[in-house]
Amino acid sequence: MEILETLAIALGFATLAGLNLYLVVFVTGLAINQGWVDVSATYPDLMVLGDPSLLAASGAFFALEFFSDKVPWVDSLWDAIHTLIRPVGGALLAIHTLGPTEPAFEVIIALLAGGTTLVAHGFKSGTRLALNASPEPLTNIAASVAEDVAVLGGLALMSVNPILAALVCITFLSISLYLTPKLFRRIKAFFWLLRNKAFSLVTREDEDLLYARLSSSEDQLLGKILGGRKAEPEWSARVLVGRCQKVTGFVPLTFGRLVSEARSSGSLHFLGRSMWRDYHTELSLDGLEITQEPRFLSEDIALYDLEGTRKLVLRLPSGQRAMANRIVESLISHRDADMPLPSDRIMIAENDSAVPEKITETADV
């Protein structure tokens, strides 16, 4: 049980260090220095945290982080600087918690603890970048205060029930591993749209952005999907997948190329990239309404059904309205060309050459 509690405390230190390393060191050191906790018998290597000089240094750095962490974009710069510092600090705290061990085991613990700290740090920095997309500072202040409270609460729980604290940390790390890629996809999409918005203010729209050529990797991927035959794209465009409601195959907030293939009338091909892998999906246009929705940062192409159950939004950068119009027109023409004629029209078409007078009479009526 003692070994399990020691590992739980090491995990707690590594996790909390990813949120605020200096606060963890300062509060732990202050508790040891003031005698609020006695670690001399259980974790003697942690006694160094109560040294007055280390307390002064960690307190000064915590004061710097306390204020910088609440200013938009300054907090992200601070996080970028600490991408290496926090994992190293978390690894050192974990090693000192375990005490003297075999050198090989210390390396293993350092790698595991550093990786744990990096996961927590990635979630924190990703959340801050996402919050910085909003123009007001209140969300940054609220997030910073919440992180400080979480660190203090985590340290208090570790002193009372290390096993429960470890379970909370494992839950937090699991959520972080799931959400962090989504956060960074959102951040990448935002900066891509923002950069193109800035360029659109000083440059003219390129009317030739809608073209038929594909890169060699895209051509190979589409050719494989088409059963080995050479792809014949009519046009292609680089887009960002936005909202995706009950439309299978698309990964929201991923970039890719929308392709209209000559022999795939009534459907679209999308060649995207998610988590360092290429993926393909085919979208049938049958039964979908297609419109253009101008936004501040983008020109959106919305595909949806009238029942409101399915909706897919494909985003082009701001300033490419003419290109969005051309895509919408092309998609509508492909959809309508693939739609079957009503039964009465089919009957007229079949008898067109045989009884032209009847057709004329029917038209007059």
Side-chain angles (χ1 to χ4, degrees):
M1 189 64 179
E2 183 179 346
I3 296 177
L4 189 60
E5 288 187 352
T6 301
L7 292 174
I9 291 177
L11 173 64
F13 276 139
T15 304
L16 297 178
L19 299 179
N20 196 322
L21 172 64
Y22 302 124
L23 180 58
V24 171
V25 174
F26 177 73
V27 172
T28 306
L30 186 64
I32 295 172
N33 182 273
Q34 296 299 313
W36 300 338
V37 294
D38 184 10
V39 297
S40 58
T42 52
Y43 312 106
D45 285 4
L46 290 179
M47 290 295 293
V48 68
L49 299 179
D51 185 89
S53 59
L54 186 56
L55 268 177
S58 60
F61 281 115
F62 168 63
L64 285 173
E65 181 159 348
F66 180 83
F67 292 103
S68 64
D69 215 30
K70 294 172 176 58
V71 181
W73 298 113
V74 176
D75 59 350
S76 293
L77 177 61
W78 184 270
D79 287 337
I81 295 172
H82 285 76
T83 301
L84 293 177
I85 297 175
R86 284 174 183 155
V88 172
L92 290 175
L93 284 173
I95 291 174
H96 279 74
T97 301
L98 298 177
T101 58
E102 293 293 330
F105 186 67
E106 286 188 1
V107 172
I108 294 173
I109 292 299
L111 292 174
L112 291 175
T116 299
T117 306
L118 187 62
V119 170
H121 166 77
F123 179 75
K124 169 190 168 74
S125 58
T127 303
R128 290 309 186 85
L129 278 170
L131 291 177
N132 284 332
S134 62
E136 41 75 35
L138 296 180
T139 50
N140 298 73
I141 296 174
S144 178
V145 172
E147 290 163 3
D148 293 344
V149 171
V151 169
L152 294 175
L155 290 173
L157 186 59
M158 285 167 55
S159 66
V160 176
N161 193 328
I163 304 300
L164 180 58
L167 292 176
V168 173
C169 289
I170 291 173
T171 303
F172 168 72
L173 292 171
S174 301
I175 296 173
S176 299
L177 285 172
Y178 175 74
L179 291 180
T180 298
K182 299 178 183 295
L183 286 171
F184 279 97
R185 284 206 303 267
R186 183 176 296 276
I187 293 161
K188 181 181 178 182
F190 170 76
F191 279 107
W192 182 72
L193 293 173
L194 186 64
R195 182 193 64 187
N196 283 280
K197 176 68 175 180
F199 286 161
S200 70
L201 298 176
V202 296
T203 59
R204 296 181 59 184
E205 179 177 359
D206 188 352
E207 296 288 344
D208 297 326
L209 285 176
L210 196 63
Y211 50 77
R213 68 178 182 273
L214 303 175
S215 67
S216 57
S217 60
E218 292 169 342
D219 189 59
Q220 290 176 1
L221 177 59
L222 187 55
K224 186 183 299 184
I225 298 300
L226 297 174
R229 71 173 175 85
K230 178 68 175 177
E232 299 178 14
E234 294 179 329
W235 55 262
S236 68
R238 180 170 169 78
V239 298
L240 168 68
V241 179
R243 182 181 176 185
C244 185
Q245 177 182 345
K246 295 185 178 180
V247 180
T248 59
F250 289 87
V251 180
L253 299 176
T254 56
F255 294 90
R257 188 165 295 281
L258 189 67
V259 182
S260 174
E261 212 267 336
R263 300 188 191 180
S264 301
S265 177
S267 64
L268 292 175
H269 293 279
F270 181 79
L271 308 174
R273 189 169 182 82
S274 175
M275 296 294 290
W276 304 286
R277 67 175 181 85
D278 295 324
Y279 74 94
H280 163 270
T281 187
E282 188 171 355
L283 175 67
S284 174
L285 301 175
D286 185 30
L288 294 180
E289 296 295 320
I290 306 168
T291 62
Q292 181 186 354
E293 300 176 352
R295 305 293 183 188
F296 177 70
L297 289 179
S298 63
E299 299 290 340
D300 292 356
I301 299 171
L303 302 94
Y304 60 95
D305 60 7
L306 295 179
E307 289 77 15
T309 57
R310 302 171 61 208
K311 184 170 185 179
L312 173 67
V313 176
L314 303 173
R315 294 181 172 174
L316 280 74
S318 177
Q320 296 186 3
R321 183 166 300 181
M323 178 180 173
N325 282 330
R326 293 169 63 189
I327 293 177
V328 169
E329 292 171 358
S330 176
L331 296 183
I332 292 175
S333 65
H334 274 274
R335 179 203 61 189
D336 294 344
D338 197 55
M339 291 177 61
L341 291 171
S343 56
D344 58 340
R345 295 289 302 278
I346 294 176
M347 185 180 299
I348 292 174
E350 289 176 347
N351 294 280
D352 183 34
S353 58
V355 284
E357 296 82 8
K358 184 176 181 179
I359 297 175
T360 305
E361 292 173 2
T362 303
D364 292 337
V365 173

mmCIF file of all heavy atoms in Angstrom, residues 105-133:
data_model
loop_
_atom_site.group_PDB
_atom_site.id
_atom_site.type_symbol
_atom_site.label_atom_id
_atom_site.label_comp_id
_atom_site.label_asym_id
_atom_site.label_seq_id
_atom_site.Cartn_x
_atom_site.Cartn_y
_atom_site.Cartn_z
ATOM 1 N N PHE A 105 15.735 2.538 -13.430
ATOM 2 C CA PHE A 105 14.355 2.804 -13.011
ATOM 3 C C PHE A 105 14.088 4.302 -12.951
ATOM 4 O O PHE A 105 12.989 4.762 -13.279
ATOM 5 C CB PHE A 105 14.098 2.162 -11.646
ATOM 6 C CG PHE A 105 12.673 2.247 -11.194
ATOM 7 C CD1 PHE A 105 11.673 1.548 -11.860
ATOM 8 C CD2 PHE A 105 12.319 3.038 -10.117
ATOM 9 C CE1 PHE A 105 10.354 1.630 -11.450
ATOM 10 C CE2 PHE A 105 11.004 3.126 -9.695
ATOM 11 C CZ PHE A 105 10.022 2.415 -10.369
ATOM 12 N N GLU A 106 15.107 5.067 -12.535
ATOM 13 C CA GLU A 106 14.957 6.522 -12.500
ATOM 14 C C GLU A 106 14.714 7.089 -13.889
ATOM 15 O O GLU A 106 13.902 8.012 -14.069
ATOM 16 C CB GLU A 106 16.204 7.169 -11.883
ATOM 17 C CG GLU A 106 16.313 7.012 -10.383
ATOM 18 C CD GLU A 106 17.454 7.839 -9.816
ATOM 19 O OE1 GLU A 106 18.135 8.534 -10.619
ATOM 20 O OE2 GLU A 106 17.670 7.801 -8.589
ATOM 21 N N VAL A 107 15.398 6.541 -14.879
ATOM 22 C CA VAL A 107 15.201 7.006 -16.260
ATOM 23 C C VAL A 107 13.789 6.693 -16.720
ATOM 24 O O VAL A 107 13.112 7.525 -17.349
ATOM 25 C CB VAL A 107 16.236 6.357 -17.202
ATOM 26 C CG1 VAL A 107 15.918 6.687 -18.651
ATOM 27 C CG2 VAL A 107 17.640 6.822 -16.853
ATOM 28 N N ILE A 108 13.301 5.495 -16.400
ATOM 29 C CA ILE A 108 11.939 5.113 -16.785
ATOM 30 C C ILE A 108 10.915 6.046 -16.138
ATOM 31 O O ILE A 108 9.981 6.537 -16.793
ATOM 32 C CB ILE A 108 11.668 3.648 -16.400
ATOM 33 C CG1 ILE A 108 12.560 2.717 -17.217
ATOM 34 C CG2 ILE A 108 10.191 3.300 -16.622
ATOM 35 C CD1 ILE A 108 12.483 1.261 -16.798
ATOM 36 N N ILE A 109 11.087 6.302 -14.834
ATOM 37 C CA ILE A 109 10.170 7.185 -14.118
ATOM 38 C C ILE A 109 10.227 8.598 -14.690
ATOM 39 O O ILE A 109 9.202 9.277 -14.851
ATOM 40 C CB ILE A 109 10.491 7.200 -12.614
ATOM 41 C CG1 ILE A 109 10.177 5.836 -12.001
ATOM 42 C CG2 ILE A 109 9.704 8.290 -11.900
ATOM 43 C CD1 ILE A 109 8.728 5.419 -12.116
ATOM 44 N N ALA A 110 11.446 9.060 -15.029
ATOM 45 C CA ALA A 110 11.587 10.400 -15.600
ATOM 46 C C ALA A 110 10.846 10.522 -16.923
ATOM 47 O O ALA A 110 10.174 11.526 -17.190
ATOM 48 C CB ALA A 110 13.069 10.730 -15.788
ATOM 49 N N LEU A 111 10.952 9.488 -17.759
ATOM 50 C CA LEU A 111 10.261 9.520 -19.053
ATOM 51 C C LEU A 111 8.747 9.491 -18.867
ATOM 52 O O LEU A 111 8.018 10.250 -19.520
ATOM 53 C CB LEU A 111 10.711 8.335 -19.904
ATOM 54 C CG LEU A 111 12.170 8.363 -20.390
ATOM 55 C CD1 LEU A 111 12.515 7.068 -21.102
ATOM 56 C CD2 LEU A 111 12.411 9.551 -21.306
ATOM 57 N N LEU A 112 8.269 8.619 -17.978
ATOM 58 C CA LEU A 112 6.831 8.523 -17.757
ATOM 59 C C LEU A 112 6.276 9.800 -17.133
ATOM 60 O O LEU A 112 5.231 10.317 -17.553
ATOM 61 C CB LEU A 112 6.523 7.325 -16.850
ATOM 62 C CG LEU A 112 6.759 5.937 -17.460
ATOM 63 C CD1 LEU A 112 6.536 4.853 -16.418
ATOM 64 C CD2 LEU A 112 5.856 5.707 -18.656
ATOM 65 N N ALA A 113 6.987 10.315 -16.125
ATOM 66 C CA ALA A 113 6.522 11.537 -15.459
ATOM 67 C C ALA A 113 6.598 12.732 -16.402
ATOM 68 O O ALA A 113 5.687 13.575 -16.433
ATOM 69 C CB ALA A 113 7.347 11.796 -14.204
ATOM 70 N N GLY A 114 7.683 12.828 -17.172
ATOM 71 C CA GLY A 114 7.796 13.930 -18.129
ATOM 72 C C GLY A 114 6.707 13.876 -19.182
ATOM 73 O O GLY A 114 6.143 14.907 -19.568
ATOM 74 N N GLY A 115 6.382 12.657 -19.659
ATOM 75 C CA GLY A 115 5.293 12.521 -20.626
ATOM 76 C C GLY A 115 3.951 12.899 -20.027
ATOM 77 O O GLY A 115 3.116 13.537 -20.681
ATOM 78 N N THR A 116 3.735 12.519 -18.766
ATOM 79 C CA THR A 116 2.491 12.884 -18.077
ATOM 80 C C THR A 116 2.361 14.406 -17.964
ATOM 81 O O THR A 116 1.294 14.971 -18.229
ATOM 82 C CB THR A 116 2.463 12.247 -16.678
ATOM 83 O OG1 THR A 116 2.513 10.825 -16.812
ATOM 84 C CG2 THR A 116 1.200 12.645 -15.924
ATOM 85 N N THR A 117 3.452 15.038 -17.560
ATOM 86 C CA THR A 117 3.438 16.506 -17.454
ATOM 87 C C THR A 117 3.192 17.153 -18.807
ATOM 88 O O THR A 117 2.464 18.149 -18.913
ATOM 89 C CB THR A 117 4.769 17.009 -16.867
ATOM 90 O OG1 THR A 117 5.026 16.345 -15.627
ATOM 91 C CG2 THR A 117 4.728 18.509 -16.626
ATOM 92 N N LEU A 118 3.779 16.578 -19.847
ATOM 93 C CA LEU A 118 3.612 17.137 -21.189
ATOM 94 C C LEU A 118 2.165 17.033 -21.660
ATOM 95 O O LEU A 118 1.657 17.942 -22.334
ATOM 96 C CB LEU A 118 4.543 16.417 -22.161
ATOM 97 C CG LEU A 118 4.615 16.990 -23.579
ATOM 98 C CD1 LEU A 118 5.137 18.415 -23.552
ATOM 99 C CD2 LEU A 118 5.507 16.119 -24.457
ATOM 100 N N VAL A 119 1.476 15.949 -21.306
ATOM 101 C CA VAL A 119 0.062 15.803 -21.679
ATOM 102 C C VAL A 119 -0.766 16.902 -21.014
ATOM 103 O O VAL A 119 -1.601 17.557 -21.667
ATOM 104 C CB VAL A 119 -0.463 14.409 -21.283
ATOM 105 C CG1 VAL A 119 -1.982 14.338 -21.434
ATOM 106 C CG2 VAL A 119 0.190 13.334 -22.143
ATOM 107 N N ALA A 120 -0.555 17.102 -19.702
ATOM 108 C CA ALA A 120 -1.290 18.148 -18.987
ATOM 109 C C ALA A 120 -0.941 19.532 -19.536
ATOM 110 O O ALA A 120 -1.812 20.395 -19.700
ATOM 111 C CB ALA A 120 -0.989 18.078 -17.497
ATOM 112 N N HIS A 121 0.326 19.746 -19.836
ATOM 113 C CA HIS A 121 0.764 21.030 -20.403
ATOM 114 C C HIS A 121 0.147 21.253 -21.782
ATOM 115 O O HIS A 121 -0.270 22.372 -22.110
ATOM 116 C CB HIS A 121 2.289 21.048 -20.498
ATOM 117 C CG HIS A 121 2.828 22.153 -21.346
ATOM 118 N ND1 HIS A 121 2.905 23.463 -20.916
ATOM 119 C CD2 HIS A 121 3.303 22.152 -22.623
ATOM 120 C CE1 HIS A 121 3.414 24.209 -21.878
ATOM 121 N NE2 HIS A 121 3.656 23.447 -22.919
ATOM 122 N N GLY A 122 0.071 20.202 -22.590
ATOM 123 C CA GLY A 122 -0.518 20.341 -23.920
ATOM 124 C C GLY A 122 -1.986 20.721 -23.846
ATOM 125 O O GLY A 122 -2.462 21.550 -24.627
ATOM 126 N N PHE A 123 -2.713 20.130 -22.905
ATOM 127 C CA PHE A 123 -4.125 20.484 -22.737
ATOM 128 C C PHE A 123 -4.266 21.933 -22.274
ATOM 129 O O PHE A 123 -5.116 22.670 -22.781
ATOM 130 C CB PHE A 123 -4.776 19.544 -21.723
ATOM 131 C CG PHE A 123 -6.225 19.849 -21.473
ATOM 132 C CD1 PHE A 123 -7.195 19.517 -22.404
ATOM 133 C CD2 PHE A 123 -6.621 20.484 -20.303
ATOM 134 C CE1 PHE A 123 -8.531 19.803 -22.180
ATOM 135 C CE2 PHE A 123 -7.955 20.777 -20.068
ATOM 136 C CZ PHE A 123 -8.911 20.437 -21.009
ATOM 137 N N LYS A 124 -3.432 22.343 -21.330
ATOM 138 C CA LYS A 124 -3.488 23.726 -20.831
ATOM 139 C C LYS A 124 -3.170 24.717 -21.941
ATOM 140 O O LYS A 124 -3.917 25.684 -22.169
ATOM 141 C CB LYS A 124 -2.491 23.903 -19.683
ATOM 142 C CG LYS A 124 -2.264 25.350 -19.252
ATOM 143 C CD LYS A 124 -1.094 25.435 -18.279
ATOM 144 C CE LYS A 124 -0.665 26.882 -18.073
ATOM 145 N NZ LYS A 124 -1.606 27.641 -17.251
ATOM 146 N N SER A 125 -2.070 24.504 -22.660
ATOM 147 C CA SER A 125 -1.669 25.453 -23.703
ATOM 148 C C SER A 125 -2.644 25.448 -24.870
ATOM 149 O O SER A 125 -2.926 26.493 -25.460
ATOM 150 C CB SER A 125 -0.252 25.127 -24.191
ATOM 151 O OG SER A 125 -0.189 23.794 -24.684
ATOM 152 N N GLY A 126 -3.194 24.268 -25.207
ATOM 153 C CA GLY A 126 -4.188 24.202 -26.279
ATOM 154 C C GLY A 126 -5.456 24.944 -25.913
ATOM 155 O O GLY A 126 -6.050 25.641 -26.748
ATOM 156 N N THR A 127 -5.894 24.795 -24.662
ATOM 157 C CA THR A 127 -7.085 25.512 -24.203
ATOM 158 C C THR A 127 -6.857 27.016 -24.252
ATOM 159 O O THR A 127 -7.735 27.779 -24.678
ATOM 160 C CB THR A 127 -7.436 25.084 -22.766
ATOM 161 O OG1 THR A 127 -7.628 23.674 -22.735
ATOM 162 C CG2 THR A 127 -8.701 25.771 -22.291
ATOM 163 N N ARG A 128 -5.675 27.460 -23.840
ATOM 164 C CA ARG A 128 -5.384 28.894 -23.852
ATOM 165 C C ARG A 128 -5.356 29.458 -25.264
ATOM 166 O O ARG A 128 -5.847 30.568 -25.514
ATOM 167 C CB ARG A 128 -4.032 29.159 -23.155
ATOM 168 C CG ARG A 128 -4.089 28.936 -21.664
ATOM 169 C CD ARG A 128 -5.275 29.709 -21.056
ATOM 170 N NE ARG A 128 -5.288 29.627 -19.636
ATOM 171 C CZ ARG A 128 -4.592 30.428 -18.837
ATOM 172 N NH1 ARG A 128 -3.837 31.359 -19.341
ATOM 173 N NH2 ARG A 128 -4.678 30.289 -17.538
ATOM 174 N N LEU A 129 -4.782 28.725 -26.189
ATOM 175 C CA LEU A 129 -4.778 29.198 -27.574
ATOM 176 C C LEU A 129 -6.189 29.309 -28.128
ATOM 177 O O LEU A 129 -6.521 30.255 -28.853
ATOM 178 C CB LEU A 129 -3.944 28.256 -28.433
ATOM 179 C CG LEU A 129 -2.430 28.453 -28.409
ATOM 180 C CD1 LEU A 129 -1.728 27.311 -29.107
ATOM 181 C CD2 LEU A 129 -2.036 29.778 -29.035
ATOM 182 N N ALA A 130 -7.030 28.341 -27.780
ATOM 183 C CA ALA A 130 -8.425 28.395 -28.232
ATOM 184 C C ALA A 130 -9.148 29.585 -27.610
ATOM 185 O O ALA A 130 -9.926 30.276 -28.279
ATOM 186 C CB ALA A 130 -9.135 27.095 -27.877
ATOM 187 N N LEU A 131 -8.894 29.865 -26.327
ATOM 188 C CA LEU A 131 -9.531 30.996 -25.666
ATOM 189 C C LEU A 131 -9.034 32.326 -26.210
ATOM 190 O O LEU A 131 -9.769 33.315 -26.241
ATOM 191 C CB LEU A 131 -9.272 30.936 -24.151
ATOM 192 C CG LEU A 131 -9.954 29.806 -23.383
ATOM 193 C CD1 LEU A 131 -9.535 29.840 -21.921
ATOM 194 C CD2 LEU A 131 -11.464 29.887 -23.509
ATOM 195 N N ASN A 132 -7.793 32.364 -26.665
ATOM 196 C CA ASN A 132 -7.243 33.611 -27.198
ATOM 197 C C ASN A 132 -7.888 34.013 -28.511
ATOM 198 O O ASN A 132 -7.696 35.145 -28.978
ATOM 199 C CB ASN A 132 -5.725 33.480 -27.391
ATOM 200 C CG ASN A 132 -4.976 33.571 -26.078
ATOM 201 O OD1 ASN A 132 -5.432 34.210 -25.136
ATOM 202 N ND2 ASN A 132 -3.832 32.923 -25.999
ATOM 203 N N ALA A 133 -8.641 33.092 -29.117
ATOM 204 C CA ALA A 133 -9.375 33.445 -30.337
ATOM 205 C C ALA A 133 -10.512 34.418 -30.035
ATOM 206 O O ALA A 133 -10.996 35.111 -30.919
ATOM 207 C CB ALA A 133 -9.932 32.185 -31.003
#
